Amino acid sequence: MRRALALSLAAAAAVASGVLAARAQDALTREKELGECRSLMADRDFAAAEPRLEVFVKRHRQGDAVEEAALLLARARLLAGRPQDCLDTLRPLVESAPKGLWTDKARWLMADAFVALRNWKDAADALRSRDEFLASDDHRRSIADLYLA
C-alpha cells in the first residue's frame, strides 16, 4: 500500500516537473520572440516587425507580453502610415485591459493616431483622461512622496 502510494507520488512529481519545465521553456521562447520584435522596432524595420508581432499576439493571446506586443504592433502600423489600423489594434487592448500595464501608453498612441487622422476631438478626449489623472491630487502626492522619501 505504501509502496503504491510512493510510486504514484513519484509519478505525479515527474509529471508536474515536466509541466513546469514546459512552461518555463514556453516563457523563454516567448521572451526571445518578443525581444526579436523589440529589436526590429528599434531598428525601425516595421515591415518585418508587423507580421512577427501579429503571429505573437495570435499565438499567445493573453498576458503582459501580449499587451506589449499589441502596443508594438499598433506603433508599427502608425509609423508605417496606417493610423486606422493602429486604432483597430489598440481598441481591443484598451477594452480588454482598462487598467493593464500598457493601457496608458496605448491611450497616448491612440491620441497620436487620431491626430494623424485629423480627428482632433477624439485625440483631445484620449488625452483628457490621462491629463485629469496627471493633474490629480493623488498623482501629485505620489510624485511628492518620491522626492521626499
Side-chain angles (χ1 to χ4, degrees):
M1 180 81 162
R2 288 183 186 209
R3 183 180 173 133
L5 180 62
L7 286 174
S8 64
L9 287 175
V15 169
S17 67
V19 169
L20 291 175
R23 286 187 180 170
Q25 183 62 36
D26 185 49
L28 288 173
T29 302
R30 184 174 42 235
E31 185 57 37
K32 181 182 176 193
E33 288 175 16
L34 188 56
E36 291 170 357
C37 292
R38 286 183 195 122
S39 179
L40 289 169
M41 289 296 293
D43 293 342
R44 301 184 62 81
D45 190 356
F46 310 126
E50 186 174 346
R52 293 180 77 173
L53 287 163
E54 285 176 347
V55 168
F56 185 91
V57 169
K58 287 178 184 172
R59 182 181 308 143
H60 299 292
R61 297 186 186 242
Q62 64 183 359
D64 291 341
V66 176
E67 290 177 20
E68 180 184 1
L71 183 73
L72 290 172
L73 176 59
R75 182 172 287 146
R77 290 175 172 170
L78 178 64
L79 295 173
R82 298 191 338 264
Q84 188 59 53
D85 291 341
C86 171
L87 289 171
D88 294 341
T89 303
L90 291 173
R91 282 189 182 109
L93 172 64
V94 172
E95 291 169 3
S96 68
K99 301 285 185 188
L101 183 64
W102 298 97
T103 304
D104 288 335
K105 289 187 180 199
R107 287 190 178 115
W108 286 104
L109 192 56
M110 286 177 82
D112 289 342
F114 285 129
V115 167
L117 292 170
R118 299 185 180 276
N119 185 340
W120 313 121
K121 181 190 176 307
D122 287 340
D125 290 344
L127 293 174
R128 187 172 297 115
S129 66
R130 187 67 183 149
D131 184 47
E132 289 169 0
F133 166 74
L134 293 173
S136 71
D137 290 336
D138 289 339
H139 182 67
R140 289 179 187 200
R141 262 189 241 107
S142 68
I143 296 298
D145 289 343
L146 288 174
Y147 286 100
L148 297 175

